[in-house]
């Protein structure tokens, strides 16, 4: 038994070595040449968040997995406001341009992420030269310039934008962000109006985490209805879906998918990952402001994932994709937040320095057993 195990390990190392030699011909698929994007063709787009090293080809193995299995990409970091406009008026599009060119060259649906977000936004955005908060009018003007310059720059190339990210708390109240505190709740409709003016053909989305929570679900529905009543274009709602093995329940996630579908907008699963690690908090959240101190017991799988946990991950992903397939009529895209476990943000969030296994491809960029099962599920769904 042990020898067979060793033999399998040796074989997989050989495969990795072959991949390293010739990344573009690396057989990082399900073993039968089938791909996720083909299996879900006609159902929904299969998306992935990509980073600059992947676009540049430095991470060539990840790049070949992207080209092979995915037909939609979203920028993991390079389109956030702090990256695009680190200093007022000094736009830097170099990484974002390469990201978009990569998408175009490989015929991928390109989503921009994200125009208005409290996090990874530069400090100058909200303050004057003395460090005090700017006036409402000034912040509106800065928001308008940022949105219109960025959306205008990528007009016709970026097919959909996360216009506003994470504006609502889990209980349905507005997040007390600088945008909210300085402008008021209409910063959301203003952002959508500005984006529409810059590219009327681009799809415009609201994106948030913990969309399964009843309070957030109801507030998002109300907010979208309000935009619709005013005739402001909103095309879709993105549900981030940073999950664990047990959170959220399929029932809660489904209730939100259904509520959002009833609004007549597209629903997207935008940042899917499934953490297998203990959650240090009372309940799960993807609030980037949250962090907990490292403890050994919070990092149980430093070396490898035991079979039982790997099986649980497979089952969890299957349950989620079966849910998405039930709603394929209104779900337009399901995107995972990263290519392989190696580069996942979950290794450092909400606890820095852990070893998590939340994605579909392992640290050697090889498909986990779940990939074959997901392909079968996609193919089986009529
Ligand atoms: C994360 C990135 O993955 C990290 O690399 C970065 O350090 C922090 O942001 N919700 C979002 C994403 O909308 O933009 C966040 O991405 C994850 C949570």
């Amino acid at each position: 038994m042990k020898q067979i195990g060793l033999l399998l390990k040796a074989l997989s190392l050989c495969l990795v070595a072959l991949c390293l030699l010739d990344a573009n011909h690396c057989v990082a698929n399900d073993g039968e040449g089938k791909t996720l994007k083909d299996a879900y063709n006609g159902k929904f787009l299969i998306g992935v968040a990509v980073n600059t090293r992947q676009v540049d080809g430095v991470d060539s193995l990840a790049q070949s997995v992207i080209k092979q299995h995915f037909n939609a990409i979203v920028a993991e970091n390079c389109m956030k406001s702090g990256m695009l406009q680190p200093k007022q008026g000094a736009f830097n599009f170099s990484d974002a341009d390469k990201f978009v060119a990569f998408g175009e060259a490989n015929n991928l649906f390109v989503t921009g992420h994200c125009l208005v977000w409290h996090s990874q936004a530069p400090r100058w955005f909200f303050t004057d030269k003395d460090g005090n908060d700017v006036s409402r009018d000034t912040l509106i003007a800065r928001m308008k310039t940022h949105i219109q310059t960025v959306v205008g720059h990528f007009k016709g190339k970026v097919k959909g934008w996360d216009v506003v990210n994470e504006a609502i708390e889990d209980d349905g109240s507005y997040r007390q962000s600088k945008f909210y505190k300085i402008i008021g709740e209409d910063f959301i409709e203003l952002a959508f109006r500005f984006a529409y003016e810059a590219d009327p053909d681009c799809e415009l989305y609201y994106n948030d985490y913990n969309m399964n929570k009843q309070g957030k679900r109801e507030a998002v529905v109300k907010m979208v209805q309000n935009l619709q009543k005013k005739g402001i274009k909103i095309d879709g709602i993105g549900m981030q879906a940073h999950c664990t093995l047990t959170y959220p329940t399929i029932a809660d996630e489904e209730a939100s998918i259904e509520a959002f579908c009833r609004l007549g907008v597209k629903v997207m699963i935008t940042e899917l990952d499934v953490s297998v690690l203990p959650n240090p908090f009372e309940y799960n959240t993807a609030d980037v402001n949250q962090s907990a101190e490292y403890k050994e017991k919070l990092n149980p799988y430093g070396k490898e994932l035991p079979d039982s946990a790997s099986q649980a991950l497979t089952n969890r992903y299957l349950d989620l994709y079966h849910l998405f397939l039930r709603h394929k009529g209104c779900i337009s895209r399901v995107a995972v937040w990263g290519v392989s476990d190696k580069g996942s943000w979950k290794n450092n969030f909400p606890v820095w320095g852990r070893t998590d296994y939340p994605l579909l491809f392992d640290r050697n960029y090889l498909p986990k057993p779940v990939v074959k099962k997901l392909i079968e599920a996609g193919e089986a769904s009529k």
Side-chain angles (χ1 to χ4, degrees):
M1 226 22 221
K2 209 172 162 196
Q3 274 143 337
I4 296 180
L6 283 174
L7 190 66
L8 285 175
K9 271 211 172 110
L11 277 173
S12 96
L13 282 175
C14 285
L15 185 56
V16 174
L18 278 174
C19 290
L20 286 168
L21 285 172
D22 187 3
N24 288 329
H25 294 96
C26 174
V27 243
N29 55 31
D30 67 327
E32 292 162 20
K34 292 182 172 173
T35 68
L36 284 165
K37 66 181 174 194
D38 288 343
Y40 287 82
N41 184 25
K43 282 137 197 156
F44 38 73
L45 291 169
I46 296 292
V48 61
V50 310
N51 64 37
T52 303
R53 293 175 71 250
Q54 294 159 353
V55 167
D56 287 345
V58 177
D59 192 348
S60 58
L61 291 178
Q63 199 191 79
S64 43
V65 174
I66 296 166
K67 289 180 188 168
Q68 189 170 14
H69 281 281
F70 297 91
N71 50 20
I73 54 169
V74 56
E76 184 175 2
N77 284 303
C78 72
M79 288 179 150
K80 291 169 180 173
S81 59
M83 302 294 287
L84 291 182
Q85 201 186 171
K87 290 198 183 115
Q88 189 171 14
F91 285 88
N92 177 357
F93 288 114
S94 56
D95 285 345
D97 279 342
K98 284 193 244 171
F99 160 79
V100 171
F102 174 75
E104 287 194 308
N106 293 289
N107 207 17
L108 306 166
F109 183 95
V110 176
T111 303
H113 171 85
C114 45
L115 296 169
V116 174
W117 188 29
H118 63 278
S119 183
Q120 291 177 274
R123 195 180 298 258
W124 69 258
F125 217 104
F126 311 103
T127 47
D128 63 19
K129 58 178 180 4
D130 303 318
N132 299 318
D133 279 359
V134 292
S135 68
R136 181 173 191 276
D137 285 349
T138 302
L139 186 55
I140 290 174
R142 288 182 182 180
M143 201 172 76
K144 183 173 184 182
T145 302
H146 184 78
I147 292 174
Q148 299 206 329
T149 308
V150 173
V151 176
H153 182 85
F154 295 109
K155 189 173 179 185
K157 296 180 174 177
V158 168
K159 304 296 178 196
W161 271 104
D162 289 337
V163 178
V164 176
N165 196 31
E166 303 180 353
I168 293 171
E169 296 282 7
D170 292 353
D171 64 1
S173 61
Y174 282 98
R175 177 186 293 279
Q176 297 292 312
S177 69
K178 290 279 181 194
F179 289 108
Y180 177 79
K181 287 208 257 192
I182 297 174
I183 299 177
E185 64 185 64
D186 51 346
F187 84 87
I188 299 177
E189 64 180 77
L190 288 167
F192 277 87
R193 277 186 203 280
F194 297 150
Y196 174 73
E197 283 165 17
D199 185 356
D201 297 326
C202 185
E203 291 190 346
L204 307 177
Y205 315 132
Y206 176 75
N207 192 54
D208 213 328
Y209 63 85
N210 278 357
M211 291 289 236
N212 52 289
K213 297 257 166 205
Q214 190 185 349
K216 189 171 285 202
R217 177 195 307 141
E218 287 169 1
V220 170
V221 165
K222 226 169 100 189
M223 186 263 290
V224 172
Q225 282 171 334
N226 177 45
L227 295 179
Q228 290 174 327
K229 252 185 260 152
K230 293 184 172 168
I232 297 166
K233 181 169 132 88
I234 172 162
D235 300 280
I237 299 177
M239 304 170 69
Q240 291 185 8
H242 294 291
C243 303
T244 72
L245 290 172
T246 52
Y247 175 91
T249 65
I250 295 294
D252 284 347
E253 193 74 352
E254 185 154 33
S256 295
I257 293 173
E258 286 172 347
F260 299 154
C261 287
R262 280 195 292 272
L263 294 166
V265 293
K266 291 182 177 175
V267 172
M268 290 152 295
I269 308 302
T270 52
E271 304 185 15
L272 179 62
D273 47 27
V274 177
S275 174
V276 300
L277 298 182
N279 177 18
F281 299 104
E282 209 177 311
Y283 73 90
N284 183 65
T285 152
D287 188 336
V288 288
N289 296 326
Q290 211 176 29
S291 68
E293 204 186 317
Y294 181 92
K295 291 195 186 87
E296 283 301 327
K297 71 174 195 322
L298 293 176
N299 190 26
Y301 311 132
K303 291 217 164 56
E304 63 181 358
L305 192 63
D307 286 348
S308 57
S310 165
Q311 192 58 50
L313 182 82
T314 301
N315 293 339
R316 179 66 164 151
Y317 261 113
L318 275 172
D319 288 348
L320 287 162
Y321 274 71
H322 281 134
L323 165 68
F324 305 150
L325 282 167
R326 282 204 291 285
H327 297 281
K328 59 180 183 283
C330 92
I331 292 184
S332 61
R333 176 170 51 104
V334 173
V336 282
W337 200 245
V339 177
S340 101
D341 289 343
K342 195 174 171 182
S344 168
W345 78 304
K346 295 301 299 187
N347 294 310
N348 294 310
F349 177 86
V351 179
W352 190 266
R354 298 197 293 177
T355 305
D356 208 342
Y357 300 79
L359 295 170
L360 301 177
F361 292 81
D362 69 19
R363 287 183 159 68
N364 293 320
Y365 303 90
L366 294 173
K368 297 182 184 177
V370 66
V371 171
K372 188 169 190 287
K373 300 248 179 204
L374 292 181
I375 289 173
E376 286 164 2
E379 286 177 341
S381 156
K382 293 283 165 283

